[in-house]
Amino acid sequence: MLRVWLVMKGSRVVWSGHIDGRIRCWKMDPGPDSGLSRVNEVLSWVAHRGPVMSMIMTCYGDLWSGSEGGVIKIWPWEALEKAFSLTAEERHMAALLVERSYIDLRNQVTVNGFSNVLNSDVKHLLSDNSRAKVWSAGFLSFALWDARTRELLKMFNIDGQIERLDMLSGQDPTFEDEIKMKTVAGSKKEKMQPSFGFFQRSRNAIMGAADAVRRVAAKGGLGDDNRRTEALIITGDGMIWTGCANGSLVQWDGNGNRLQDFQYHSVAVHCVCTFGLRIWVGYASGIVQVLDLEGNLLGGWVAHSSPVIKLAVGAGYVFTLANHGGIRGWNVMSPGPLDDILRSELAGKEFLYTRIENLKILTGTWNVAQGKASRDSLVSWLGSAARDVGIVVVGLQEVEMGAGVLAMSAAKETVGLEGSSVGQWWLDMIGKTLDEGSTFERVGSRQLAGLLIAMWVRNNLKAHVGDVDAAAVPCGFGRAIGNKGAVGLRIRVYDRVMCFVNCHFAAHLEAVNRRNADFDHVYRTMTFGRPSSFFSAAAGMVSYLFLSCSIACYLFWLVYRTGLPLLLSVAVGTSSAAQMLRCANVTAVNSPEGIPELSEADMVIFLGDFNYRLDGISYDEARDFVSQRCFDWLRKKDQLRAEMGAGNVFQGMREAVIRFPPTYKFEKHQPGLAGYGSGEKKRIPAWCDRVLYRDSRSAHVSECSLDCPVVSLISQYDACMDVTDSDHKPVRCMFSIDIAKVDESVRRQEFGDIMKSNEEIRYAIDELCKIPETIVSTNNIILQNHDTAILRITNKCGENYALFEIICEGQSIIDENGQASNHHPRGSYGFPQWLEVTPAAGIIKPDQIAEVSIHLEDFPTLEAYVDGVPQNSWCEDTRDKEAMLVVKVRSTCNTNETKNHRIRVRHCCSSRTAPPDTRPNGSGQIQGNLLRRADYQHLNSSYEVVNHLRNLHSP
């Protein structure tokens, strides 16, 4: 499985790092069809024992890769160059040569007798080519390296504080101290009443377990410190930016000093990219924001209905990759003056690319009262009704109950687990009823104690369904225990978001306000997310939690019977730990604007045992009206209808007209309306089991369109009165839904036509993409004895910024006749070790000059490594050399075209090849301005640059 990739534009090479620890090199060769490339694997080797988590190519051509446990390995350019020189038949030798040539940085770092000081996963690597440095980052710390010497320069945390290297290699002392303190405290015998001591010890046991889980998760990067680093980039002005799990963006200078931070969204940053004068940020919420280089927010929009996990720039667009696999392209000039023109033009052609899809959804709810249904009951409830539907959603209540179940469920939720054998039995039985496998496929489910929701999708609809997320909100015992509450599923259908919520609210006739409060709590706090990967360290805590369950079961039973408030704080702690581990991607309860996630869906369906009763009527009166099927009069006594009319609950939601008898309460296995409970309590019949919904319609718009994308009608709403397995009757509701979707292929075509035909847009684009005119101070530089030359790049344009990047296309040996020979192209593999170019990239303001230092370094002593151990060393060739640099200049809005200046940098080792009049006396700096004005040429690709330079010879 692919984990990370690296594209080398100049050499048409792609490097990929994989979850199995392998690194692969792919070559893009021209295919038989023009415009298409064939990708062939040319190298593959085992780089790490764990997954390849990050990878970069430095400005000196070395390949760096990071993995788990702080492992950073380097494959030197010399080894890569040698491997590429081998033929296809020698490919296995090339892979072995590269695999064994690595340098393990942990073996190179030794400070105060401590080695292996880097112990956190290397989640990110960044090459700062402008300063010849490399950044490595874990979740909460950074390291800064010299790209040329590979020395560790600095280590610091997310606050910018420099860390002591000797402390990083040992275990966290506070963690051990806390454990020791808890152990000593646990051994002390407190003098108290026996019952209170029992409660207190049980409380401490559960709180301690939840605390330990939080601490372990924090060490893994998913703990209370939600500032962990999720993205790392360098912008054109040389600043470093990091994106964090709490949605903040932090700006650093090139030396690792924290400058300032910005907060425009409270959901986790997943990716960041930059081009020109802008920074693009992708969030877990699917939102994309654009900032300038000063950190000012320029704009933002919902790019996808699921997390944006990757951003890439090319062909004039910023492409966003969503978690569901969708890719969209956004013009690099957006937001900008062209947006309003394009939006207006596209709106006028909306009818051409709008498509209406019809979808039938069957929803069912049933309080099963801890029983199990017969196959006939399930067929009666779901079997026949599911024949023509595309999606089936089932919500069950009281699948299992009791103190032991609640305690076990709370313990599981604490460490991110859910489900039970009883819940699985129901999933299997319903799956068989729906012919799961050949007709339907279950795409998601969620269980919280006795609550269970599951979804099945017809096979021919699966291609249009994605992003299945789950959520759970406990409402019982201080909003912490799952005897009451809700479980939900969120999906994307035809690119529209739908939420299904299965609820079980407070019981008893008089508890109307509690039921209203339960709904309000569920609606405001339900947060969807995919289950996070389960940490092995956290898994070790499960046994400790389960050992406490025998005590906890008794405590929950006491609370359940007596209503004692003793365990409220314990349960709250358990719930928060569960939320932390289950929704690692989501750092805020609500969306950044404080709007509940449910309100942002295109359609929401609530189903379940809402427990609203009939008010102001006796048992006998209700029975009489039911027997006469006088449901209109009974509906006037319905608490839910009254509370919805007063705006106290389910605001903005609808329900179909009820034309079936009350579904509660019945004696089990007694058919017909005579089965209503006639025992001592004589529960008044009530419509406890309901289905309510909200679509996109408003008071102003009701017809299905892109402005009102989801419009639903209910074709069936009834109860299965012949089912007698529970004291509740199962209820089902059939929806016929029209969904407005965009035909992307048609809209892209219309977009392209507008871009080509609209003269105003074409003129604006031409002006924005025009490459500023620039000149360089020289085309030829000669260096000798640690010389430093200054290359000046002037932006002659008075209006637009210019971006520049300096690359080394190749290196040649100067023979005795002063001619360049034995050319070695480097493509995008950086500078030779003897040459230092600073800065190698940057931004030039209008009418300004950028100065670039071209410095000659000593010939380095090279070492050959085998399996991370140096074997021999030698001094680099001391013959005269010539490096061919190309200064590539582009505009801030043009990703395709560049204007290139060619610079020859000659390294003279002997005095006979160095012109005597090029160096000022007593100066370490040369002028070397053999040509005052650069003869720049427009070259379309790096291949053209290389081919052109191969035919050149020194004067």
Side-chain angles (χ1 to χ4, degrees), residues 783-785 859 877-881 907-913:
L783 300 177
Q784 191 175 14
N785 299 330
F859 280 113
D877 188 0
T878 57
R879 291 177 292 178
D880 292 354
K881 294 183 176 65
H907 175 196
C908 294
C909 300
S910 55
S911 58
R912 62 179 177 81
T913 59

Side-chain angles (χ1 to χ4, degrees), residues 171-190:
Q171 187 175 356
D172 184 359
T174 60
F175 183 69
E176 292 185 351
D177 292 344
E178 289 180 15
I179 293 178
K180 291 177 181 178
M181 291 175 63
K182 287 183 178 292
T183 303
V184 173
S187 63
K188 294 181 179 180
K189 305 294 184 180
E190 300 181 6

Side-chain angles (χ1 to χ4, degrees), residues 629-678:
R629 304 188 68 84
C630 296
F631 301 143
D632 291 340
W633 192 88
L634 281 178
R635 281 197 297 269
K636 296 178 181 178
K637 302 295 183 179
D638 179 34
Q639 290 178 341
L640 179 56
R641 181 181 177 182
E643 292 300 309
M644 290 178 65
N648 296 330
V649 72
F650 290 105
Q651 294 85 350
M653 305 196 77
R654 301 182 179 94
E655 183 183 20
V657 177
I658 299 177
R659 303 188 186 279
F660 52 87
T663 55
Y664 175 82
K665 174 180 183 181
F666 288 85
E667 297 291 340
K668 290 185 179 181
H669 308 298
Q670 289 192 18
L673 299 180
Y676 282 112
S678 57

Side-chain angles (χ1 to χ4, degrees), residues 500-528:
F500 303 86
V501 185
N502 173 31
C503 304
H504 193 189
F505 294 155
H508 304 305
L509 177 68
E510 67 281 358
V512 177
N513 292 334
R514 288 175 55 193
R515 286 189 279 274
N516 294 349
D518 285 347
F519 166 80
D520 183 67
H521 178 66
V522 168
Y523 192 84
R524 286 187 302 102
T525 64
M526 179 161 277
T527 303
F528 292 90

Side-chain angles (χ1 to χ4, degrees), residues 806-818:
I806 303 176
I807 65 172
C808 179
E809 289 288 356
Q811 176 180 266
S812 301
I813 302 298
I814 306 301
D815 59 22
E816 295 180 354
N817 299 321

Side-chain angles (χ1 to χ4, degrees), residues 562-789:
T562 65
L564 291 174
L566 179 62
L567 290 181
L568 294 185
S569 59
V570 182
V572 170
T574 303
S575 178
S576 62
Q579 190 78 352
M580 171 192 66
L581 282 173
R582 291 197 58 82
C583 300
N585 296 350
V586 184
T587 59
V589 172
N590 295 333
S591 62
E593 296 80 12
I595 301 175
E597 289 190 10
L598 287 173
S599 67
E600 297 177 330
D602 295 295
M603 184 170 185
V604 179
I605 297 177
F606 272 81
L607 61 150
D609 179 3
F610 301 154
N611 256 323
Y612 286 90
R613 309 301 174 89
L614 298 182
D615 234 344
I617 189 173
S618 67
Y619 172 82
D620 293 329
E621 289 174 325
R623 286 288 303 269
D624 290 340
F625 281 110
V626 169
S627 63
Q628 299 173 32
R629 304 188 68 84
C630 296
F631 301 143
D632 291 340
W633 192 88
L634 281 178
R635 281 197 297 269
K636 296 178 181 178
K637 302 295 183 179
D638 179 34
Q639 290 178 341
L640 179 56
R641 181 181 177 182
E643 292 300 309
M644 290 178 65
N648 296 330
V649 72
F650 290 105
Q651 294 85 350
M653 305 196 77
R654 301 182 179 94
E655 183 183 20
V657 177
I658 299 177
R659 303 188 186 279
F660 52 87
T663 55
Y664 175 82
K665 174 180 183 181
F666 288 85
E667 297 291 340
K668 290 185 179 181
H669 308 298
Q670 289 192 18
L673 299 180
Y676 282 112
S678 57
E680 180 180 348
K681 293 184 179 180
K682 283 192 176 182
R683 301 288 189 190
I684 300 173
W687 285 295
C688 292
D689 310 285
R690 313 284 276 268
V691 179
L692 280 72
Y693 70 100
R694 183 224 7 117
D695 55 16
S696 302
R697 284 178 291 179
S698 64
H700 306 288
V701 183
S702 59
E703 185 177 350
C704 186
S705 64
L706 294 182
D707 293 328
C708 180
V710 179
V711 175
S712 60
L713 295 174
I714 293 181
S715 58
Q716 182 182 0
Y717 187 34
D718 60 6
C720 299
M721 304 304 293
D722 59 327
V723 175
T724 62
D725 301 292
S726 170
D727 57 356
H728 289 252
K729 300 297 183 182
V731 172
R732 62 192 174 196
C733 186
M734 182 88 72
F735 291 87
S736 178
I737 303 173
D738 286 335
I739 301 176
K741 57 171 288 190
V742 173
D743 189 325
E744 294 291 351
S745 61
V746 176
R747 185 163 70 170
R748 280 195 296 269
Q749 182 178 349
E750 296 300 327
F751 177 83
D753 292 343
I754 294 171
M755 295 289 286
K756 293 176 183 178
S757 61
N758 191 295
E759 294 296 332
E760 183 181 1
I761 293 177
R762 290 181 59 185
Y763 176 79
I765 291 176
D766 290 342
E767 289 298 314
L768 290 171
C769 293
K770 187 179 296 182
I771 301 175
E773 182 182 356
T774 54
I775 59 173
V776 294
S777 57
T778 182
N779 296 101
N780 295 271
I781 296 175
I782 299 175
L783 300 177
Q784 191 175 14
N785 299 330
H786 296 280
D787 283 337
T788 299

Side-chain angles (χ1 to χ4, degrees), residues 422-484:
V422 178
Q424 189 61 47
W425 182 90
W426 278 99
L427 295 176
D428 294 339
M429 289 298 295
I430 296 174
K432 291 178 181 178
T433 305
L434 297 175
D435 194 18
E436 182 177 334
S438 59
T439 305
F440 285 91
E441 179 179 331
R442 178 158 54 90
V443 296
S445 64
R446 181 66 164 97
Q447 184 174 355
L448 174 68
L451 283 162
L452 175 65
I453 189 171
M455 179 185 300
W456 286 262
V457 173
R458 192 172 289 273
N459 290 336
N460 60 8
L461 187 65
K462 286 190 299 184
H464 306 287
V465 176
D467 295 343
V468 182
D469 298 319
V473 178
C475 290
F477 304 136
R479 307 290 187 218
I481 307 303
N483 63 313
K484 293 294 187 289

